Amino acid sequence: MRCTRCRGQEACLEIRRHNAAYCEDCFLGFFRDQVARAIEHDKMFRRDEPVLVAVSGGKDSLALWDVLLDAGYETAGFYISLAIPGYSEPSREKCEVFAAARGARLIVVDLEQEYGLGIADTAQRTARAPCSACGLSKRYLFNKVALDNGFRVIATGHNLDDEAATLFGNVLRWQTGYLGRQAPVLPEEDGLVKKVKPLYRLAERETAAYAVLRGIDYIVEECPMSRGAKSLLYKDLLNQLEAASPGSKQSFLLGFLDKARPLFHEQEEVELHPCEQCGQPTTTPLCAFCRLRAEVARPRRPRGGGRRRDGRGGPREAAPPVHAAGAPLAATSGLAIPLTPAEP
Ligand code: Q46
Ligand code: ZN
């Protein structure tokens, strides 16, 4: 099959939702165009605005950082070490090697060493699922580190598959609050930096193809905590739909953003004020992150529910409600996707 763009070269990747197939050069051009289109169409950031890119060591975030560096944007990478055994070390190394090879700045925060919140340990010490503690910590640190380092925009590598799966999950449970906030751009507001997702028009296999063609060494293994995550099931279901009807994922997501999201977007203003402990914006006296730290620092009760000999004590108290908690559905897949076959 010939490339539908240049008509000269043999195509290496078919993109059925666009009714197109591209050679390597034209595919890279297509990928860059889609990112540029998202940045401009959704007014994500200007040429002169520095962007903090959240990187995990996976294909999506490193592809995003690469495409922005290549386009001449001023960026720094931001990696959070989650202290997940067998996963955090190699993923950090991928980010460090990527940054060093390009002479780019990488900011690293070690959640365990700096905040006492290694994800595996935090999940054990609290009643939380690991992804809940992880999502909460990431949201907090994205904002704090961006502000501390003079960035007003943070970009994440969420792709079309991630966003469609998140949307599917939110629709399945009619999470109207989350539906109102699902967007490729969340604007800056009182103490919160702007959050953008420049890859939301590109499928997961396209970010994998871009990473392979650009020689990016990314971590292929998924985070071990994502095993059994609902988002993976939703991605499978949407992939089946896409195989039978190319373009379904894209029309599901873009149609929602265009026609339905405004219906869920809450008009009511939420009042943010500084957390009494750390100063980050929150709706409660202490922010969720500070409450999580306090919960983890609390001495552990003895095994067996901690019931004392005098009969008092009893089972562990329920965890306090946490502002803006909830695990992100976007457990990124690190599948090494072959370049040639049609979409799954
Ligand atoms: S990194 Fe964190 Fe994901 Fe791992 S612990 Fe869950 S949320 S699965 S994107
Ligand atoms: Zn706080």
Side-chain angles (χ1 to χ4, degrees):
M1 191 189 305
R2 296 255 152 227
C3 171
T4 42
R5 206 181 232 199
C6 69
R7 309 249 170 225
Q9 300 287 321
E10 194 63 26
C12 70
L13 190 82
E14 189 182 7
I15 300 183
R16 289 172 64 200
R17 73 176 184 288
H18 287 289
N19 217 3
Y22 298 124
C23 66
E24 290 188 10
D25 283 350
C26 290
F27 169 72
L28 292 175
F30 158 81
F31 193 93
R32 292 176 184 124
D33 288 351
Q34 290 294 313
V35 174
R37 192 172 158 194
I39 292 169
E40 277 159 36
H41 177 268
D42 294 279
K43 299 186 176 59
M44 292 186 173
F45 41 84
R46 298 186 314 267
R47 278 261 152 215
D48 59 350
E49 269 183 301
V51 179
L52 187 63
V53 184
V55 288
S56 66
K59 63 190 183 316
D60 303 297
S61 55
L62 290 182
L64 172 61
W65 197 9
D66 183 81
V67 81
L68 294 181
L69 282 169
D70 200 43
Y73 284 100
E74 188 191 330
T75 62
F78 174 39
Y79 175 78
I80 304 175
S81 183
L82 302 167
I84 296 173
Y87 178 74
S88 293
E89 289 255 321
S91 60
R92 176 179 179 154
E93 199 187 310
K94 301 286 182 199
C95 296
E96 287 173 343
V97 168
F98 178 98
R102 289 157 181 80
R105 179 184 175 204
L106 177 69
I107 301 168
V108 176
V109 167
D110 189 309
L111 204 47
E112 187 170 52
Q113 283 175 16
E114 294 178 44
Y115 295 96
L117 287 181
I119 291 305
D121 187 50
T122 299
Q124 262 193 349
R125 282 171 162 266
T126 64
R128 273 174 191 283
C131 292
S132 164
C134 178
L136 184 161
S137 304
K138 280 182 186 171
R139 281 191 293 275
Y140 177 88
L141 288 171
F142 285 174
N143 199 65
K144 179 176 169 26
V145 169
L147 287 174
D148 288 352
N149 289 277
F151 292 90
R152 292 175 64 186
V153 184
I154 183 149
T156 57
H158 294 93
N159 60 41
L160 174 60
D161 296 54
D162 297 326
E163 291 300 282
T166 301
L167 176 60
F168 189 82
N170 287 339
V171 167
L172 215 54
R173 287 180 190 76
W174 291 114
Q175 304 263 32
T176 53
Y178 289 161
L179 286 169
R181 288 194 297 276
Q182 186 173 352
V185 175
L186 289 177
E188 184 177 9
E189 55 181 308
D190 298 336
L192 292 173
V193 300
K194 193 183 210 182
K195 295 179 191 72
V196 300
K197 300 169 184 171
L199 301 184
Y200 81 100
R201 291 171 172 270
L202 288 153
E204 193 163 293
R205 70 188 284 272
E206 291 148 25
T207 62
Y210 178 89
V212 170
L213 291 175
R214 292 282 294 164
I216 296 171
D217 184 18
Y218 62 89
I219 185 155
V220 174
E221 291 77 35
E222 307 220 10
C223 170
M225 304 291 179
S226 71
R227 259 173 235 138
K230 284 278 193 321
S231 56
L232 299 181
L233 171 65
Y234 300 154
K235 281 185 176 178
D236 272 355
L237 293 170
L238 290 168
N239 280 340
Q240 287 178 39
L241 197 60
E242 185 73 18
S245 174
S248 298
K249 270 187 252 183
Q250 181 174 291
S251 60
F252 179 49
L253 179 67
L254 300 191
F256 162 77
L257 293 174
D258 186 34
K259 298 179 184 138
R261 182 182 175 253
L263 305 174
F264 297 102
H265 193 59
E266 284 174 26
Q267 298 304 321
E268 110 192 43
E269 298 257 310
V270 181
E271 207 173 306
L272 294 170
H273 54 81
C275 165
E276 286 171 6
Q277 194 150 310
C278 71
Q280 285 291 298
T282 179
T283 54
T284 47
L286 277 189
C287 75
F289 188 76
C290 285
R291 279 183 280 144
L292 181 64
R293 289 187 76 187
E295 196 183 341
V296 169
R298 225 176 274 157
R300 286 199 215 209
R301 289 171 189 250
R303 282 172 186 252
R307 195 169 286 282
R308 300 193 313 213
R309 282 200 180 162
D310 60 7
R312 288 188 288 167
R316 190 178 170 287
E317 285 171 32
V322 176
H323 162 61
L329 282 167
T332 48
S333 147
L335 298 175
I337 299 171
L339 295 183
T340 35
E343 287 201 313

